[in-house]
PDB file of all heavy atoms in Angstrom:
ATOM      1  N   TYR A1108      38.862 102.060  29.102  1.00 96.00           N
ATOM      2  CA  TYR A1108      38.716 101.721  30.528  1.00 96.00           C
ATOM      3  C   TYR A1108      39.928 102.199  31.268  1.00 96.00           C
ATOM      4  O   TYR A1108      39.866 102.842  32.305  1.00 96.00           O
ATOM      5  CB  TYR A1108      38.447 100.240  30.691  1.00 96.00           C
ATOM      6  CG  TYR A1108      38.378  99.743  32.081  1.00 96.00           C
ATOM      7  CD1 TYR A1108      37.276 100.031  32.894  1.00 96.00           C
ATOM      8  CD2 TYR A1108      39.396  99.012  32.657  1.00 96.00           C
ATOM      9  CE1 TYR A1108      37.215  99.589  34.221  1.00 96.00           C
ATOM     10  CE2 TYR A1108      39.352  98.537  33.923  1.00 96.00           C
ATOM     11  CZ  TYR A1108      38.224  98.839  34.735  1.00 96.00           C
ATOM     12  OH  TYR A1108      38.142  98.345  35.992  1.00 96.00           O
ATOM     13  N   SER A1109      41.154 101.788  30.857  1.00 94.00           N
ATOM     14  CA  SER A1109      42.378 102.185  31.507  1.00 94.00           C
ATOM     15  C   SER A1109      42.533 103.674  31.454  1.00 94.00           C
ATOM     16  O   SER A1109      43.113 104.284  32.339  1.00 94.00           O
ATOM     17  CB  SER A1109      43.529 101.371  30.980  1.00 94.00           C
ATOM     18  OG  SER A1109      43.725 101.682  29.592  1.00 94.00           O
ATOM     19  N   LEU A1110      42.137 104.311  30.374  1.00 96.00           N
ATOM     20  CA  LEU A1110      42.314 105.741  30.198  1.00 96.00           C
ATOM     21  C   LEU A1110      41.392 106.425  31.167  1.00 96.00           C
ATOM     22  O   LEU A1110      41.820 107.454  31.801  1.00 96.00           O
ATOM     23  CB  LEU A1110      41.948 106.186  28.787  1.00 96.00           C
ATOM     24  CG  LEU A1110      43.019 105.732  27.673  1.00 96.00           C
ATOM     25  CD1 LEU A1110      42.501 106.092  26.297  1.00 96.00           C
ATOM     26  CD2 LEU A1110      44.366 106.290  27.963  1.00 96.00           C
ATOM     27  N   ILE A1111      40.210 106.002  31.357  1.00 96.00           N
ATOM     28  CA  ILE A1111      39.318 106.603  32.352  1.00 96.00           C
ATOM     29  C   ILE A1111      39.832 106.529  33.703  1.00 96.00           C
ATOM     30  O   ILE A1111      39.800 107.522  34.449  1.00 96.00           O
ATOM     31  CB  ILE A1111      37.843 105.895  32.279  1.00 96.00           C
ATOM     32  CG1 ILE A1111      37.171 106.151  30.938  1.00 96.00           C
ATOM     33  CG2 ILE A1111      36.997 106.415  33.444  1.00 96.00           C
ATOM     34  CD1 ILE A1111      35.947 105.291  30.746  1.00 96.00           C
ATOM     35  N   LEU A1112      40.368 105.370  34.105  1.00 95.00           N
ATOM     36  CA  LEU A1112      40.952 105.236  35.448  1.00 95.00           C
ATOM     37  C   LEU A1112      42.123 106.209  35.627  1.00 95.00           C
ATOM     38  O   LEU A1112      42.294 106.826  36.688  1.00 95.00           O
ATOM     39  CB  LEU A1112      41.393 103.866  35.704  1.00 95.00           C
ATOM     40  CG  LEU A1112      40.279 102.769  35.722  1.00 95.00           C
ATOM     41  CD1 LEU A1112      40.849 101.384  35.902  1.00 95.00           C
ATOM     42  CD2 LEU A1112      39.334 103.107  36.882  1.00 95.00           C
ATOM     43  N   ALA A1113      42.949 106.429  34.593  1.00 95.00           N
ATOM     44  CA  ALA A1113      44.067 107.375  34.711  1.00 95.00           C
ATOM     45  C   ALA A1113      43.524 108.812  34.742  1.00 95.00           C
ATOM     46  O   ALA A1113      44.051 109.643  35.549  1.00 95.00           O
ATOM     47  CB  ALA A1113      44.956 107.224  33.508  1.00 95.00           C
ATOM     48  N   MET A1114      42.487 109.116  34.022  1.00 95.00           N
ATOM     49  CA  MET A1114      41.867 110.413  34.081  1.00 95.00           C
ATOM     50  C   MET A1114      41.288 110.759  35.455  1.00 95.00           C
ATOM     51  O   MET A1114      41.257 111.913  35.816  1.00 95.00           O
ATOM     52  CB  MET A1114      40.787 110.525  32.993  1.00 95.00           C
ATOM     53  CG  MET A1114      41.356 110.605  31.594  1.00 95.00           C
ATOM     54  SD  MET A1114      40.012 110.558  30.389  1.00 95.00           S
ATOM     55  CE  MET A1114      40.896 110.445  28.895  1.00 95.00           C
ATOM     56  N   MET A1115      40.798 109.795  36.175  1.00 92.00           N
ATOM     57  CA  MET A1115      40.231 109.996  37.409  1.00 92.00           C
ATOM     58  C   MET A1115      41.290 110.633  38.420  1.00 92.00           C
ATOM     59  O   MET A1115      40.984 111.351  39.341  1.00 92.00           O
ATOM     60  CB  MET A1115      39.696 108.718  38.058  1.00 92.00           C
ATOM     61  CG  MET A1115      38.446 108.198  37.352  1.00 92.00           C
ATOM     62  SD  MET A1115      37.055 109.209  37.368  1.00 92.00           S
ATOM     63  CE  MET A1115      36.674 109.209  39.192  1.00 92.00           C
ATOM     64  N   GLU A1116      42.577 110.368  38.132  1.00 91.00           N
ATOM     65  CA  GLU A1116      43.621 110.883  38.943  1.00 91.00           C
ATOM     66  C   GLU A1116      44.221 112.165  38.411  1.00 91.00           C
ATOM     67  O   GLU A1116      45.012 112.798  39.121  1.00 91.00           O
ATOM     68  CB  GLU A1116      44.772 109.811  39.087  1.00 91.00           C
ATOM     69  CG  GLU A1116      44.322 108.481  39.589  1.00 91.00           C
ATOM     70  CD  GLU A1116      43.726 108.620  41.028  1.00 91.00           C
ATOM     71  OE1 GLU A1116      44.243 109.389  41.861  1.00 91.00           O
ATOM     72  OE2 GLU A1116      42.653 107.946  41.271  1.00 91.00           O
ATOM     73  N   ASP A1117      43.857 112.566  37.287  1.00 93.00           N
ATOM     74  CA  ASP A1117      44.422 113.719  36.565  1.00 93.00           C
ATOM     75  C   ASP A1117      43.606 114.959  36.891  1.00 93.00           C
ATOM     76  O   ASP A1117      42.422 115.049  36.627  1.00 93.00           O
ATOM     77  CB  ASP A1117      44.423 113.493  35.030  1.00 93.00           C
ATOM     78  CG  ASP A1117      45.080 114.527  34.230  1.00 93.00           C
ATOM     79  OD1 ASP A1117      45.218 115.699  34.743  1.00 93.00           O
ATOM     80  OD2 ASP A1117      45.493 114.244  33.090  1.00 93.00           O
ATOM     81  N   PRO A1118      44.253 116.047  37.452  1.00 92.00           N
ATOM     82  CA  PRO A1118      43.527 117.247  37.846  1.00 92.00           C
ATOM     83  C   PRO A1118      42.814 117.896  36.608  1.00 92.00           C
ATOM     84  O   PRO A1118      41.858 118.636  36.824  1.00 92.00           O
ATOM     85  CB  PRO A1118      44.621 118.130  38.393  1.00 92.00           C
ATOM     86  CG  PRO A1118      45.776 117.288  38.678  1.00 92.00           C
ATOM     87  CD  PRO A1118      45.657 116.014  37.843  1.00 92.00           C
ATOM     88  N   THR A1119      43.288 117.625  35.416  1.00 91.00           N
ATOM     89  CA  THR A1119      42.694 118.240  34.242  1.00 91.00           C
ATOM     90  C   THR A1119      41.208 117.858  34.114  1.00 91.00           C
ATOM     91  O   THR A1119      40.435 118.546  33.579  1.00 91.00           O
ATOM     92  CB  THR A1119      43.472 117.752  32.986  1.00 91.00           C
ATOM     93  OG1 THR A1119      44.839 118.089  33.133  1.00 91.00           O
ATOM     94  CG2 THR A1119      42.878 118.438  31.735  1.00 91.00           C
ATOM     95  N   PHE A1120      40.907 116.682  34.659  1.00 92.00           N
ATOM     96  CA  PHE A1120      39.576 116.099  34.444  1.00 92.00           C
ATOM     97  C   PHE A1120      38.766 116.215  35.785  1.00 92.00           C
ATOM     98  O   PHE A1120      37.705 115.599  35.865  1.00 92.00           O
ATOM     99  CB  PHE A1120      39.637 114.648  34.049  1.00 92.00           C
ATOM    100  CG  PHE A1120      40.270 114.477  32.667  1.00 92.00           C
ATOM    101  CD1 PHE A1120      41.653 114.313  32.578  1.00 92.00           C
ATOM    102  CD2 PHE A1120      39.499 114.563  31.507  1.00 92.00           C
ATOM    103  CE1 PHE A1120      42.221 114.181  31.318  1.00 92.00           C
ATOM    104  CE2 PHE A1120      40.093 114.448  30.280  1.00 92.00           C
ATOM    105  CZ  PHE A1120      41.482 114.300  30.185  1.00 92.00           C
ATOM    106  N   SER A1121      39.180 117.129  36.628  1.00 90.00           N
ATOM    107  CA  SER A1121      38.473 117.205  37.950  1.00 90.00           C
ATOM    108  C   SER A1121      36.995 117.680  37.806  1.00 90.00           C
ATOM    109  O   SER A1121      36.180 117.288  38.591  1.00 90.00           O
ATOM    110  CB  SER A1121      39.233 118.154  38.908  1.00 90.00           C
ATOM    111  OG  SER A1121      39.271 119.503  38.366  1.00 90.00           O
ATOM    112  N   ASN A1122      36.668 118.423  36.812  1.00 90.00           N
ATOM    113  CA  ASN A1122      35.299 118.918  36.649  1.00 90.00           C
ATOM    114  C   ASN A1122      34.418 117.955  35.905  1.00 90.00           C
ATOM    115  O   ASN A1122      33.209 118.158  35.781  1.00 90.00           O
ATOM    116  CB  ASN A1122      35.302 120.212  35.807  1.00 90.00           C
ATOM    117  CG  ASN A1122      35.906 121.379  36.608  1.00 90.00           C
ATOM    118  OD1 ASN A1122      35.867 121.340  37.839  1.00 90.00           O
ATOM    119  ND2 ASN A1122      36.402 122.368  35.893  1.00 90.00           N
ATOM    120  N   VAL A1123      34.955 116.754  35.408  1.00 93.00           N
ATOM    121  CA  VAL A1123      34.137 115.834  34.771  1.00 93.00           C
ATOM    122  C   VAL A1123      34.282 114.396  35.397  1.00 93.00           C
ATOM    123  O   VAL A1123      33.872 113.420  34.707  1.00 93.00           O
ATOM    124  CB  VAL A1123      34.501 115.755  33.224  1.00 93.00           C
ATOM    125  CG1 VAL A1123      34.092 117.060  32.508  1.00 93.00           C
ATOM    126  CG2 VAL A1123      35.935 115.417  32.986  1.00 93.00           C
ATOM    127  N   ARG A1124      34.733 114.350  36.590  1.00 92.00           N
ATOM    128  CA  ARG A1124      34.883 113.048  37.219  1.00 92.00           C
ATOM    129  C   ARG A1124      33.597 112.271  37.408  1.00 92.00           C
ATOM    130  O   ARG A1124      33.524 111.077  37.280  1.00 92.00           O
ATOM    131  CB  ARG A1124      35.617 113.196  38.551  1.00 92.00           C
ATOM    132  CG  ARG A1124      37.114 113.473  38.324  1.00 92.00           C
ATOM    133  CD  ARG A1124      37.873 113.438  39.635  1.00 92.00           C
ATOM    134  NE  ARG A1124      39.290 113.668  39.296  1.00 92.00           N
ATOM    135  CZ  ARG A1124      40.086 114.529  39.982  1.00 92.00           C
ATOM    136  NH1 ARG A1124      39.536 115.173  41.028  1.00 92.00           N
ATOM    137  NH2 ARG A1124      41.312 114.733  39.696  1.00 92.00           N
ATOM    138  N   GLY A1125      32.507 112.998  37.628  1.00 92.00           N
ATOM    139  CA  GLY A1125      31.161 112.331  37.770  1.00 92.00           C
ATOM    140  C   GLY A1125      30.849 111.660  36.436  1.00 92.00           C
ATOM    141  O   GLY A1125      30.349 110.558  36.458  1.00 92.00           O
ATOM    142  N   THR A1126      31.120 112.311  35.332  1.00 94.00           N
ATOM    143  CA  THR A1126      30.869 111.705  34.029  1.00 94.00           C
ATOM    144  C   THR A1126      31.769 110.523  33.794  1.00 94.00           C
ATOM    145  O   THR A1126      31.334 109.543  33.203  1.00 94.00           O
ATOM    146  CB  THR A1126      31.064 112.785  32.915  1.00 94.00           C
ATOM    147  OG1 THR A1126      30.192 113.845  33.196  1.00 94.00           O
ATOM    148  CG2 THR A1126      30.738 112.254  31.569  1.00 94.00           C
ATOM    149  N   LEU A1127      33.017 110.623  34.236  1.00 95.00           N
ATOM    150  CA  LEU A1127      33.953 109.447  34.046  1.00 95.00           C
ATOM    151  C   LEU A1127      33.409 108.288  34.898  1.00 95.00           C
ATOM    152  O   LEU A1127      33.450 107.150  34.384  1.00 95.00           O
ATOM    153  CB  LEU A1127      35.340 109.858  34.467  1.00 95.00           C
ATOM    154  CG  LEU A1127      35.983 110.933  33.589  1.00 95.00           C
ATOM    155  CD1 LEU A1127      37.317 111.350  34.158  1.00 95.00           C
ATOM    156  CD2 LEU A1127      36.148 110.458  32.148  1.00 95.00           C
ATOM    157  N   VAL A1128      32.937 108.550  36.128  1.00 94.00           N
ATOM    158  CA  VAL A1128      32.432 107.417  36.984  1.00 94.00           C
ATOM    159  C   VAL A1128      31.189 106.864  36.218  1.00 94.00           C
ATOM    160  O   VAL A1128      31.011 105.669  36.216  1.00 94.00           O
ATOM    161  CB  VAL A1128      32.083 107.924  38.357  1.00 94.00           C
ATOM    162  CG1 VAL A1128      31.413 106.842  39.194  1.00 94.00           C
ATOM    163  CG2 VAL A1128      33.370 108.335  39.071  1.00 94.00           C
ATOM    164  N   TYR A1129      30.367 107.753  35.671  1.00 94.00           N
ATOM    165  CA  TYR A1129      29.169 107.286  34.889  1.00 94.00           C
ATOM    166  C   TYR A1129      29.623 106.330  33.783  1.00 94.00           C
ATOM    167  O   TYR A1129      28.977 105.300  33.544  1.00 94.00           O
ATOM    168  CB  TYR A1129      28.413 108.456  34.363  1.00 94.00           C
ATOM    169  CG  TYR A1129      27.302 108.112  33.424  1.00 94.00           C
ATOM    170  CD1 TYR A1129      26.066 107.677  33.963  1.00 94.00           C
ATOM    171  CD2 TYR A1129      27.452 108.152  32.083  1.00 94.00           C
ATOM    172  CE1 TYR A1129      25.002 107.345  33.115  1.00 94.00           C
ATOM    173  CE2 TYR A1129      26.437 107.885  31.221  1.00 94.00           C
ATOM    174  CZ  TYR A1129      25.187 107.429  31.782  1.00 94.00           C
ATOM    175  OH  TYR A1129      24.170 107.085  30.910  1.00 94.00           O
ATOM    176  N   ALA A1130      30.670 106.678  33.087  1.00 96.00           N
ATOM    177  CA  ALA A1130      31.180 105.890  31.971  1.00 96.00           C
ATOM    178  C   ALA A1130      31.648 104.499  32.476  1.00 96.00           C
ATOM    179  O   ALA A1130      31.534 103.493  31.741  1.00 96.00           O
ATOM    180  CB  ALA A1130      32.317 106.535  31.238  1.00 96.00           C
ATOM    181  N   LEU A1131      32.157 104.402  33.689  1.00 95.00           N
ATOM    182  CA  LEU A1131      32.621 103.168  34.232  1.00 95.00           C
ATOM    183  C   LEU A1131      31.561 102.166  34.576  1.00 95.00           C
ATOM    184  O   LEU A1131      31.859 101.027  34.760  1.00 95.00           O
ATOM    185  CB  LEU A1131      33.494 103.446  35.513  1.00 95.00           C
ATOM    186  CG  LEU A1131      34.842 104.087  35.227  1.00 95.00           C
ATOM    187  CD1 LEU A1131      35.468 104.501  36.611  1.00 95.00           C
ATOM    188  CD2 LEU A1131      35.799 103.135  34.456  1.00 95.00           C
ATOM    189  N   LYS A1132      30.282 102.642  34.551  1.00 93.00           N
ATOM    190  CA  LYS A1132      29.180 101.693  34.830  1.00 93.00           C
ATOM    191  C   LYS A1132      29.053 100.590  33.768  1.00 93.00           C
ATOM    192  O   LYS A1132      28.404  99.602  34.037  1.00 93.00           O
ATOM    193  CB  LYS A1132      27.881 102.407  34.996  1.00 93.00           C
ATOM    194  CG  LYS A1132      27.287 102.858  33.625  1.00 93.00           C
ATOM    195  CD  LYS A1132      25.926 103.443  33.836  1.00 93.00           C
ATOM    196  CE  LYS A1132      25.346 103.787  32.439  1.00 93.00           C
ATOM    197  NZ  LYS A1132      23.933 104.069  32.527  1.00 93.00           N
ATOM    198  N   ASN A1133      29.704 100.768  32.637  1.00 94.00           N
ATOM    199  CA  ASN A1133      29.688  99.826  31.571  1.00 94.00           C
ATOM    200  C   ASN A1133      30.712  98.674  31.778  1.00 94.00           C
ATOM    201  O   ASN A1133      30.750  97.805  30.912  1.00 94.00           O
ATOM    202  CB  ASN A1133      29.985 100.554  30.242  1.00 94.00           C
ATOM    203  CG  ASN A1133      28.873 101.518  29.908  1.00 94.00           C
ATOM    204  OD1 ASN A1133      27.717 101.154  29.628  1.00 94.00           O
ATOM    205  ND2 ASN A1133      29.156 102.812  30.019  1.00 94.00           N
ATOM    206  N   TYR A1134      31.407  98.714  32.809  1.00 95.00           N
ATOM    207  CA  TYR A1134      32.494  97.729  33.057  1.00 95.00           C
ATOM    208  C   TYR A1134      32.156  96.904  34.324  1.00 95.00           C
ATOM    209  O   TYR A1134      31.346  97.366  35.161  1.00 95.00           O
ATOM    210  CB  TYR A1134      33.829  98.391  33.173  1.00 95.00           C
ATOM    211  CG  TYR A1134      34.202  99.115  31.905  1.00 95.00           C
ATOM    212  CD1 TYR A1134      33.924 100.459  31.728  1.00 95.00           C
ATOM    213  CD2 TYR A1134      34.837  98.489  30.831  1.00 95.00           C
ATOM    214  CE1 TYR A1134      34.257 101.153  30.550  1.00 95.00           C
ATOM    215  CE2 TYR A1134      35.130  99.089  29.696  1.00 95.00           C
ATOM    216  CZ  TYR A1134      34.903 100.445  29.511  1.00 95.00           C
ATOM    217  OH  TYR A1134      35.176 101.071  28.347  1.00 95.00           O
ATOM    218  N   PRO A1135      32.782  95.727  34.528  1.00 93.00           N
ATOM    219  CA  PRO A1135      32.465  94.955  35.684  1.00 93.00           C
ATOM    220  C   PRO A1135      32.775  95.771  36.977  1.00 93.00           C
ATOM    221  O   PRO A1135      33.814  96.424  37.078  1.00 93.00           O
ATOM    222  CB  PRO A1135      33.455  93.794  35.586  1.00 93.00           C
ATOM    223  CG  PRO A1135      33.755  93.685  34.133  1.00 93.00           C
ATOM    224  CD  PRO A1135      33.691  95.114  33.575  1.00 93.00           C
ATOM    225  N   PRO A1136      31.879  95.747  37.970  1.00 89.00           N
ATOM    226  CA  PRO A1136      32.003  96.568  39.109  1.00 89.00           C
ATOM    227  C   PRO A1136      33.042  96.071  40.145  1.00 89.00           C
ATOM    228  O   PRO A1136      33.560  96.803  40.951  1.00 89.00           O
ATOM    229  CB  PRO A1136      30.660  96.549  39.748  1.00 89.00           C
ATOM    230  CG  PRO A1136      29.980  95.317  39.264  1.00 89.00           C
ATOM    231  CD  PRO A1136      30.566  94.985  37.948  1.00 89.00           C
ATOM    232  N   GLU A1137      33.336  94.737  40.108  1.00 90.00           N
ATOM    233  CA  GLU A1137      34.184  94.218  41.126  1.00 90.00           C
ATOM    234  C   GLU A1137      35.522  94.929  41.326  1.00 90.00           C
ATOM    235  O   GLU A1137      35.906  95.271  42.410  1.00 90.00           O
ATOM    236  CB  GLU A1137      34.385  92.700  40.953  1.00 90.00           C
ATOM    237  CG  GLU A1137      33.174  91.815  41.147  1.00 90.00           C
ATOM    238  CD  GLU A1137      32.244  91.881  39.957  1.00 90.00           C
ATOM    239  OE1 GLU A1137      32.672  92.260  38.838  1.00 90.00           O
ATOM    240  OE2 GLU A1137      31.059  91.459  40.110  1.00 90.00           O
ATOM    241  N   PRO A1138      36.269  95.129  40.211  1.00 91.00           N
ATOM    242  CA  PRO A1138      37.566  95.813  40.434  1.00 91.00           C
ATOM    243  C   PRO A1138      37.432  97.294  40.842  1.00 91.00           C
ATOM    244  O   PRO A1138      38.408  97.859  41.294  1.00 91.00           O
ATOM    245  CB  PRO A1138      38.275  95.740  39.098  1.00 91.00           C
ATOM    246  CG  PRO A1138      37.375  94.980  38.152  1.00 91.00           C
ATOM    247  CD  PRO A1138      36.053  94.725  38.902  1.00 91.00           C
ATOM    248  N   LEU A1139      36.247  97.813  40.723  1.00 89.00           N
ATOM    249  CA  LEU A1139      36.067  99.196  41.060  1.00 89.00           C
ATOM    250  C   LEU A1139      35.498  99.440  42.454  1.00 89.00           C
ATOM    251  O   LEU A1139      35.190 100.620  42.795  1.00 89.00           O
ATOM    252  CB  LEU A1139      35.105  99.879  39.998  1.00 89.00           C
ATOM    253  CG  LEU A1139      35.641  99.847  38.546  1.00 89.00           C
ATOM    254  CD1 LEU A1139      34.545 100.257  37.607  1.00 89.00           C
ATOM    255  CD2 LEU A1139      36.858 100.723  38.429  1.00 89.00           C
ATOM    256  N   PHE A1140      35.274  98.419  43.180  1.00 90.00           N
ATOM    257  CA  PHE A1140      34.602  98.548  44.480  1.00 90.00           C
ATOM    258  C   PHE A1140      35.350  99.537  45.385  1.00 90.00           C
ATOM    259  O   PHE A1140      34.758 100.474  45.952  1.00 90.00           O
ATOM    260  CB  PHE A1140      34.358  97.176  45.153  1.00 90.00           C
ATOM    261  CG  PHE A1140      33.637  97.315  46.468  1.00 90.00           C
ATOM    262  CD1 PHE A1140      32.258  97.482  46.456  1.00 90.00           C
ATOM    263  CD2 PHE A1140      34.373  97.228  47.648  1.00 90.00           C
ATOM    264  CE1 PHE A1140      31.568  97.571  47.663  1.00 90.00           C
ATOM    265  CE2 PHE A1140      33.645  97.376  48.783  1.00 90.00           C
ATOM    266  CZ  PHE A1140      32.244  97.539  48.866  1.00 90.00           C
ATOM    267  N   ASN A1141      36.583  99.298  45.651  1.00 91.00           N
ATOM    268  CA  ASN A1141      37.354 100.101  46.560  1.00 91.00           C
ATOM    269  C   ASN A1141      37.489 101.535  46.076  1.00 91.00           C
ATOM    270  O   ASN A1141      37.306 102.501  46.828  1.00 91.00           O
ATOM    271  CB  ASN A1141      38.734  99.512  46.907  1.00 91.00           C
ATOM    272  CG  ASN A1141      38.590  98.282  47.801  1.00 91.00           C
ATOM    273  OD1 ASN A1141      37.669  98.189  48.617  1.00 91.00           O
ATOM    274  ND2 ASN A1141      39.576  97.422  47.735  1.00 91.00           N
ATOM    275  N   PRO A1142      37.848 101.786  44.790  1.00 90.00           N
ATOM    276  CA  PRO A1142      37.833 103.155  44.264  1.00 90.00           C
ATOM    277  C   PRO A1142      36.495 103.818  44.392  1.00 90.00           C
ATOM    278  O   PRO A1142      36.438 104.992  44.729  1.00 90.00           O
ATOM    279  CB  PRO A1142      38.283 103.011  42.797  1.00 90.00           C
ATOM    280  CG  PRO A1142      39.017 101.722  42.728  1.00 90.00           C
ATOM    281  CD  PRO A1142      38.330 100.831  43.764  1.00 90.00           C
ATOM    282  N   ALA A1143      35.417 103.062  44.199  1.00 86.00           N
ATOM    283  CA  ALA A1143      34.072 103.654  44.286  1.00 86.00           C
ATOM    284  C   ALA A1143      33.762 104.117  45.713  1.00 86.00           C
ATOM    285  O   ALA A1143      33.118 105.190  45.894  1.00 86.00           O
ATOM    286  CB  ALA A1143      33.065 102.669  43.812  1.00 86.00           C
ATOM    287  N   ILE A1144      34.226 103.400  46.671  1.00 89.00           N
ATOM    288  CA  ILE A1144      34.031 103.815  48.063  1.00 89.00           C
ATOM    289  C   ILE A1144      34.746 105.162  48.288  1.00 89.00           C
ATOM    290  O   ILE A1144      34.238 106.035  48.910  1.00 89.00           O
ATOM    291  CB  ILE A1144      34.517 102.694  49.075  1.00 89.00           C
ATOM    292  CG1 ILE A1144      33.723 101.476  48.897  1.00 89.00           C
ATOM    293  CG2 ILE A1144      34.558 103.249  50.495  1.00 89.00           C
ATOM    294  CD1 ILE A1144      32.257 101.598  49.255  1.00 89.00           C
TER     295      ILE A1144
END
Side-chain angles (χ1 to χ4, degrees):
Y1108 176 74
S1109 60
L1110 293 174
I1111 293 169
L1112 293 176
M1114 289 173 184
M1115 291 296 294
E1116 303 300 321
D1117 186 338
T1119 306
F1120 296 92
S1121 64
N1122 291 336
V1123 294
R1124 285 188 179 132
T1126 303
L1127 295 174
V1128 173
Y1129 173 80
L1131 289 171
K1132 76 175 187 167
N1133 296 291
Y1134 298 94
E1137 292 80 14
L1139 298 171
F1140 183 77
N1141 287 334
I1144 297 298

